[in-house]
Amino acid sequence: MRSDSVKKGIERAPHRSLFKAMGYTDQEIAAPLIGVVSAKSEIVPGHIHLDTIVEAVKTGIRIKGGTPIEIPAIGVCDGIAMGHVGMNYSLPTRELIADSIESMTMAHGFDALVLVPNCDKIVPGMLMAAARLNIPTVMVSGGAMLAGKVGDKRASLSDVFEAVGSVGAGKMTEEELLEYENNACASCGSCSGMFTANSMNCMCEVLGIALEGNGAMPAVYAERIRLAKEAGMTVMDTLEKDIRPRDILTLKAFENALTMDMALGCSTNTMLHLPAIAHEAGIKIDLEMANEISNRTPNLCKLAPAGPTFMEDLHAAGGIYAVMNEVNKKNLLNTDVVTVTGKTIGQHIENARNLDESVIRPVDNPYSETGGIAVLTGNLAPDSCVVKRSAVAKEMIKFSGPARVFNSEEEVNEAILGNTIEKGQVLVIRYEGPKGGPGMKEMLAPTSALAGMGLDKDVALITDGRFSGATRGASIGHISPEAAEGGPIAFVEDGDIISFDMEKCTITLEVDKEELEARKANWVKPEPKIKTGYLSRYAKLVTSANTGAVFATD
């Protein structure tokens, strides 16, 4: 066992004495040591209850003869960090999480891991660590928040952000806003729509590194406790069988993830995280793969913010396996890939059933014949950009309009709330990429404000930053190369015509090449926004969004 390095032989007597100082018995020390990585904190609604999940995991490990050892992981609440300098830190924590898990695991010789995250960057950060370390690992999340209710309308966090815009437009009173504030987030858990956290928890289930139910099962259900116990027991079986993350996280598994990403209509942030996880597993995902897969994958679900259903509805309709079974009626999945149980994905999904066709459309009656996410390319984004096509109004799928340029999120928020935005404009938000931000902020505030004002069918947003999974509307993010690296978005001027076609996957700045070259020659790279601390170091190491914003290795 790997843990022999910290506990076996007379030379490890000092090490064992330290275990005994914590109350571990000889029997516990002799058993396999299983690291249980908990993101529990009192600042994230998706993590406030993870102590309960972790205790259930520990119970499962003990049932099968292992010794669970809990260690911590950090986590930022993207909702609380939104709209201020805190959001600069969100994506960069992904790398901190992966690095800290690597450090704790290697320093203490754990034999296997159970990873217990729930929210946005925490899930991919933990998956990156699993792929990097390649010791037997099982993921179990904390589960989804229940949908709230305001009057007779079901609601989520994105509705509160949109309500702010409605107040600014005079369409809602502050008293009505308070109703949303008090009732939209109904329980602990990851926010209730197909936002980034739930998207990534679904991806864990699809990839096969988490058990059935991980993606859609609500946080407050007793099933979630049972699932956590099963995860604890499963990791002991995975250890015995020596099934490792890189046996699971194969190219075929990532193809399945991209397929289900399209079918479910997940957050555009999956286009950052899946390549980053694959990178740690030694696999390269070209974002062009996403379009190839999207072209043959029907979009079967429209969960909030794209539609009126929520994660609890998806769970009741049969969950992720039911969607996988439906998708595979077109033979779109690699069913021979192995999972943490030792069984294949095909074996797991063969008996899954679609219990509600209003939540999971049948494969022969999809919302669209192509997937929920599109990767666009063109002279404005030579290395690609990303949009959640399933959450875009039909009239905005093809669009052309004059640019209005902003050099920060703060500038565009001021313009939107100041009611200075005109219908037909393309709002360009630049210098918010991985290096320029730094940290590639999510920008839910401007997109939600526009939606709340009723402008989501009339105004487009384009950025080298990114948009929350709670975003709806023509919001195109991840423009690569970013402005801070001299990408074409840096040379856009007010009034330039920008055109995009989400069906043909093109985006064009209607300015001739010679003019762009002249602008580039006169461009002066701006000073870094943040020059000290972690974000300064992050900006020097991080790569482009189209590569997953991973750290450069040379």
Side-chain angles (χ1 to χ4, degrees):
M1 290 190 294
R2 290 184 76 256
S3 59
D4 287 349
S5 62
V6 299
K7 68 185 185 184
K8 190 172 183 179
I10 58 171
E11 70 277 10
R12 294 296 182 252
H15 303 62
R16 292 192 295 273
S17 70
L18 292 170
F19 276 96
K20 290 177 179 179
M22 295 181 279
Y24 290 100
T25 65
D26 285 327
Q27 185 177 0
E28 287 176 302
I29 297 168
L33 304 183
I34 313 299
V36 181
V37 185
S38 172
K40 154 76 179 178
S41 76
E42 295 182 348
I43 194 59
V44 187
H47 295 180
I48 190 75
H49 65 302
L50 289 188
D51 50 349
T52 304
I53 304 297
V54 165
E55 286 307 312
V57 168
K58 291 179 181 178
T59 297
I61 292 168
R62 292 189 182 107
I63 286 171
K64 296 299 279 290
T67 298
I69 301 176
E70 182 179 343
I71 61 172
I74 64 168
V76 165
C77 176
D78 277 19
I80 294 174
M82 196 74 65
H84 59 94
V85 70
M87 183 47 68
N88 292 86
Y89 285 85
S90 176
L91 181 61
T93 62
R94 188 186 69 180
E95 271 56 36
L96 286 177
I97 291 163
D99 290 350
S100 64
I101 293 171
E102 175 194 356
S103 300
M104 292 294 285
T105 301
M106 296 303 293
H108 301 107
F110 296 136
D111 295 300
L113 296 171
V114 179
L115 306 176
V116 189
N118 210 22
C119 292
D120 296 43
K121 299 325 140 320
I122 300 87
V123 180
M126 288 190 177
L127 281 174
M128 289 167 69
R132 186 186 302 172
L133 291 162
N134 201 34
I135 64 172
T137 301
V138 175
M139 176 84 75
V140 59
S141 76
M145 184 183 290
L146 295 177
K149 194 169 185 181
V150 180
D152 60 356
K153 177 188 176 184
R154 298 172 80 197
S156 70
L157 177 66
S158 63
D159 294 292
V160 189
F161 276 95
E162 290 186 15
V164 172
S166 294
V167 172
K171 296 182 177 183
M172 182 182 290
T173 67
E174 290 189 28
E175 290 74 18
E176 289 171 318
L177 174 61
L178 184 60
E179 285 295 306
Y180 278 91
E181 178 183 325
N182 288 339
N183 297 294
C185 297
S187 72
C188 63
S190 48
C191 294
S192 55
M194 188 59 82
F195 310 153
T196 304
N198 290 323
S199 294
M200 289 309 303
N201 284 324
C202 292
M203 292 299 98
C204 292
E205 193 172 335
V206 173
L207 286 166
I209 201 164
L211 301 176
E212 180 181 7
N214 185 75
M217 186 186 294
V220 296
Y221 284 13
E223 290 174 276
R224 180 60 65 172
I225 303 299
R226 298 197 296 272
L227 179 69
K229 291 177 181 176
E230 289 289 344
M233 290 186 279
T234 297
V235 78
M236 297 303 296
D237 296 335
T238 303
L239 176 61
E240 183 179 356
K241 297 171 185 175
D242 195 30
I243 300 172
R244 297 173 181 248
R246 292 193 185 188
D247 299 325
I248 298 166
L249 302 175
T250 62
L251 178 58
K252 285 185 175 182
F254 282 106
E255 289 173 349
N256 285 347
L258 287 170
T259 299
M260 292 306 298
D261 200 345
M262 302 305 166
L264 289 163
C266 291
S267 164
T268 53
N269 283 312
T270 56
M271 294 295 102
L272 274 178
H273 301 319
L274 289 174
I277 298 160
H279 174 77
E280 293 289 353
I283 296 167
K284 182 179 180 181
I285 291 182
D286 185 337
L287 286 186
E288 189 56 37
M289 288 173 57
N291 277 345
E292 293 171 6
I293 289 171
S294 180
N295 287 339
R296 61 176 182 262
T297 305
N299 178 217
L300 304 184
C301 299
K302 276 191 180 291
L303 286 88
T309 54
F310 296 85
M311 298 306 294
E312 64 201 79
D313 304 314
L314 180 57
H315 177 62
I320 305 307
Y321 279 7
V323 186
M324 294 180 77
N325 185 282
E326 198 69 55
V327 166
N328 204 47
K329 290 176 182 177
K330 293 186 71 173
N331 297 315
L332 293 176
L333 296 177
N334 300 305
T335 56
D336 59 341
V337 296
V338 73
T339 71
V340 286
T341 66
K343 294 182 179 179
T344 65
I345 279 290
Q347 290 174 299
H348 279 298
I349 69 172
E350 62 183 350
N351 294 319
R353 294 294 176 264
N354 183 354
L355 303 177
D356 190 341
E357 293 184 356
S358 70
V359 178
I360 305 170
R361 284 277 188 95
V363 74
D364 57 1
N365 182 33
Y367 285 103
S368 68
E369 294 291 344
T370 55
I373 291 176
V375 177
L376 315 183
T377 55
N379 70 336
L380 183 58
D383 293 338
S384 77
C385 56
V386 181
V387 64
K388 187 171 182 175
R389 185 167 53 192
S390 61
V392 178
K394 289 182 180 179
E395 48 266 61
M396 296 295 290
I397 294 293
K398 298 179 183 179
F399 189 77
S400 184
R404 185 165 174 192
V405 181
F406 302 90
N407 289 329
S408 69
E409 180 192 12
E410 290 77 12
E411 288 182 15
V412 76
N413 284 339
E414 183 178 347
I416 293 171
L417 295 178
N419 292 305
T420 67
I421 303 303
E422 298 178 6
K423 291 183 178 182
Q425 290 182 329
V426 179
L427 309 187
V428 177
I429 313 166
R430 63 190 179 194
Y431 298 110
E432 292 290 8
K435 288 184 178 294
M440 202 180 182
K441 292 189 293 187
E442 275 187 354
M443 287 176 274
L444 181 57
T447 59
S448 297
L450 286 173
M453 292 174 172
L455 292 174
D456 57 302
K457 297 179 181 179
D458 301 290
V459 174
L461 291 94
I462 293 176
T463 184
D464 53 6
R466 58 197 178 94
F467 294 112
S468 166
T471 293
R472 62 185 175 97
S475 303
I476 302 170
H478 307 196
I479 296 277
S480 300
E482 62 176 292
E485 290 196 303
I489 192 174
F491 316 131
V492 180
E493 295 181 358
D494 285 342
D496 288 348
I497 301 300
I498 295 175
S499 305
F500 55 80
D501 186 330
M502 296 180 191
E503 292 179 347
K504 294 182 179 179
C505 297
T506 59
I507 184 166
T508 306
L509 175 61
E510 307 287 356
V511 175
D512 63 53
K513 187 175 181 180
E514 291 75 16
E515 173 63 18
L516 282 179
E517 288 296 329
R519 293 180 187 180
K520 183 175 183 179
N522 293 322
W523 177 68
V524 177
K525 184 175 182 178
E527 286 288 311
K529 295 178 184 176
I530 297 175
K531 299 181 181 180
T532 60
Y534 175 53
L535 289 183
S536 177
R537 298 195 302 276
Y538 178 86
K540 293 173 184 176
L541 293 171
V542 71
T543 60
S544 178
N546 67 296
T547 65
V550 297
F551 279 174
T553 55
D554 53 12

